[in-house]
């Protein structure tokens, strides 16, 4: 997915996000300094950008997309055999309309995948977020999906690690400051998502407005479009697809770590019209579940405006509590079946 086309590095227009070429880090001090200036501006002012020059090849991308499209062509009975209501770890297939954002139905179906690890049932004195660790559910008829998805998680973890280091350097922070909360026990998350078109009831919520709660999200979107980002004018603006680019956004942990200097930005997906299908692959670069995200030491800290205060969305010191909170809200069927004791009474 390298992009040989010459693209302007940044733009102030709402018609396109800033475009960052990560390969500039390898082209000498001057190019790397420009990369850092662009990263600094994009992460501080917008919280979103398009990433090119990341080194992921078209062949690697095609392997994942081919397996994903094959999954959504499986008979519905095969997909429903992986229904995430079977998984106390929130892994597996979510049928169209079963996920919620801000309490409203999202019109998409998806397969949720994480690092392949044995189930961990939390003991009496352990945090409930350890339920989030566990095995994935895979379709027996499509063994290549497991290989493609787990390979993608490893590949994008490497890209995200490099990007995070360059971003921290760009704002004057130690590049490896957060390395201890990732490593072998990080908690990456991959979604294979299909938007089947309009719901037919007058609503257009593919997925409702939200912020991501990890560090970085790298999104592979197709040419249909539908992703929208809330910009400085308060309005949601479309993100035109760029072939070979990842749409990157910062999660709430980076906003908290920098006291609001880096921003996590609201975004949503509008359903494609009619019966048009849209496919996307968001990858969430998340730390260990038990990671406590310490404040980042950097020279601009004195000018940080503070984090967004949302009483309906409290943020916790340990990452796992934040993810579990989000999963319980987004997947009420799984929550009621496996984790009723964790739900707040209505």
């Amino acid at each position: 997915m390298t992009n040989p086309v010459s693209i302007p590095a940044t733009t102030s227009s709402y018609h396109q996000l800033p475009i960052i070429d990560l390969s500039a880090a390898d082209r000498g001090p001057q190019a790397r300094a420009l990369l850092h200036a662009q990263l600094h501006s994009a992460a501080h002012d917008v919280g979103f950008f398009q990433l090119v020059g990341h080194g992921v090849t078209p062949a690697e991308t095609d392997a994942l997309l081919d397996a994903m499209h094959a999954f959504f062509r499986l008979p519905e009975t095969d997909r429903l055999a992986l229904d995430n209501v079977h998984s106390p770890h929130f892994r597996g297939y979510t049928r169209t309309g079963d996920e919620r954002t801000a309490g409203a139905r999202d019109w998409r179906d998806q397969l949720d995948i994480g690092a392949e690890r044995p189930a961990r049932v939390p003991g009496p004195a352990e945090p409930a977020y350890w339920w989030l660790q566990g095995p994935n559910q895979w379709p027996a008829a499509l063994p290549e999906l497991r290989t493609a998805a787990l390979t993608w998680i490893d590949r994008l973890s490497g890209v995200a690690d490099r990007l995070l280091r360059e971003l921290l350097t760009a704002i004057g922070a130690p590049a490896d400051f957060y390395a201890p909360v990732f490593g072998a026990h990080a908690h990456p998350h991959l979604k294979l998502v299909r938007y089947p078109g309009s719901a037919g009831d007058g609503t257009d919520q593919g997925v409702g407005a939200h912020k991501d709660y990890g560090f970085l999200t790298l999104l592979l979107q197709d040419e249909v479009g539908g992703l929208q980002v809330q910009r400085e004018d308060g309005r949601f603006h479309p993100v035109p697809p760029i072939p070979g680019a990842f749409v990157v956004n910062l999660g709430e942990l980076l906003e908290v770590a920098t006291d609001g200097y880096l921003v996590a930005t609201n975004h949503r997906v509008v359903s494609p019209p009619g019966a048009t299908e849209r496919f996307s692959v968001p990858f969430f670069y998340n730390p260990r579940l038990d990671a406590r995200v310490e404040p980042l030491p950097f020279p601009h800290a004195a000018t940080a405006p503070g984090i967004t205060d949302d009483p309906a969305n409290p943020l916790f010191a340990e990452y796992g509590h934040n993810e579990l909170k989000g999963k319980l809200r987004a997947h009420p069927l799984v929550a009621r079946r496996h984790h009723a004791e964790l739900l707040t009474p209505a």
Side-chain angles (χ1 to χ4, degrees):
M1 288 202 338
T2 52
N3 193 336
V5 180
S6 177
I7 301 174
T10 60
T11 174
S12 59
S13 169
Y14 287 146
H15 295 298
Q16 185 55 273
L17 296 174
I19 299 169
I20 305 293
D21 184 352
L22 188 57
S23 68
D26 300 322
R27 296 203 295 269
Q30 186 174 356
R32 190 169 184 231
L34 178 58
L35 165 67
H36 289 164
Q38 294 167 345
L39 266 177
H40 189 157
S41 175
H44 175 55
D45 297 329
V46 186
F48 262 85
F49 52 90
Q50 301 256 25
L51 187 72
V52 299
H54 41 68
V56 178
T57 67
E60 291 173 306
T61 304
D62 288 345
L64 178 72
L65 294 180
D66 289 348
M68 177 178 70
H69 290 146
F71 171 75
F72 285 109
R73 288 195 300 267
L74 290 175
E76 185 180 40
T77 53
D78 287 9
R79 285 180 274 124
L80 290 177
L82 313 179
D83 197 317
N84 68 353
V85 297
H86 304 315
S87 169
H89 319 293
F90 296 88
R91 304 291 178 86
Y93 177 68
T94 304
R95 72 183 83 195
T96 303
D98 277 1
E99 188 173 15
R100 300 289 188 271
T101 300
R105 178 186 67 177
D106 293 329
W107 199 246
R108 62 178 183 175
D109 60 342
Q110 65 190 33
L111 186 66
D112 282 277
I113 302 164
E116 190 69 80
R117 294 182 182 135
R120 178 168 176 179
V121 177
E126 290 187 310
Y129 58 64
W130 287 116
W131 279 113
L132 299 173
Q133 177 178 305
N136 297 295
Q137 297 191 76
W138 303 107
L142 197 63
E144 60 268 32
L145 179 63
R146 183 183 192 277
T147 300
L150 295 180
T151 298
W152 192 257
I153 287 175
D154 287 343
R155 188 72 171 91
L156 262 66
S157 291
V159 174
D161 174 71
R162 185 183 187 199
L163 176 60
L164 180 60
R165 290 170 181 268
E166 296 294 345
L167 173 57
L168 296 185
T169 301
I171 64 171
D176 61 350
F177 186 79
Y178 289 119
V181 304
F182 286 95
H185 298 289
H187 191 72
H189 180 203
L190 176 67
K191 287 178 178 280
L192 308 180
V193 185
R194 175 178 61 179
Y195 297 87
S198 172
D201 60 0
T203 63
D204 63 358
Q205 178 171 308
V207 60
H210 66 285
K211 299 177 182 180
D212 297 339
Y213 36 73
F215 266 73
L216 294 169
T217 302
L218 280 67
L219 171 72
L220 178 67
Q221 63 170 341
D222 66 12
E223 69 282 357
V224 173
L227 175 65
Q228 297 182 344
V229 173
Q230 191 173 32
R231 300 296 297 270
E232 298 92 330
D233 62 355
R235 299 172 59 190
F236 282 88
H237 294 264
V239 179
I242 295 178
F246 292 121
V247 182
V248 177
N249 65 279
L250 279 59
E252 290 174 324
L253 287 184
L254 274 174
E255 180 173 316
V256 171
T258 60
D259 198 27
Y261 187 81
L262 300 182
V263 295
T265 304
N266 271 321
H267 52 287
R268 67 187 185 188
V269 174
V270 175
S271 293
T276 303
E277 288 185 318
R278 175 184 186 264
F279 294 89
S280 70
V281 185
F283 168 79
F284 304 92
Y285 188 55
N286 302 324
R288 298 191 329 255
L289 288 169
D290 60 349
R292 296 182 68 88
V293 179
E294 300 296 333
L296 185 69
F298 68 111
H300 307 282
T303 66
I307 62 173
T308 305
D309 184 21
D310 182 358
N313 182 37
L315 297 175
F316 301 101
E318 289 182 55
Y319 170 68
H321 290 302
N322 293 305
E323 179 159 337
L324 180 60
K325 171 195 65 180
K327 289 289 196 294
L328 293 171
R329 289 178 174 179
H331 297 280
L333 299 180
V334 180
R336 289 197 296 268
R337 179 166 179 174
H338 296 285
H339 306 295
E341 75 282 0
L342 302 177
L343 299 177
T344 303

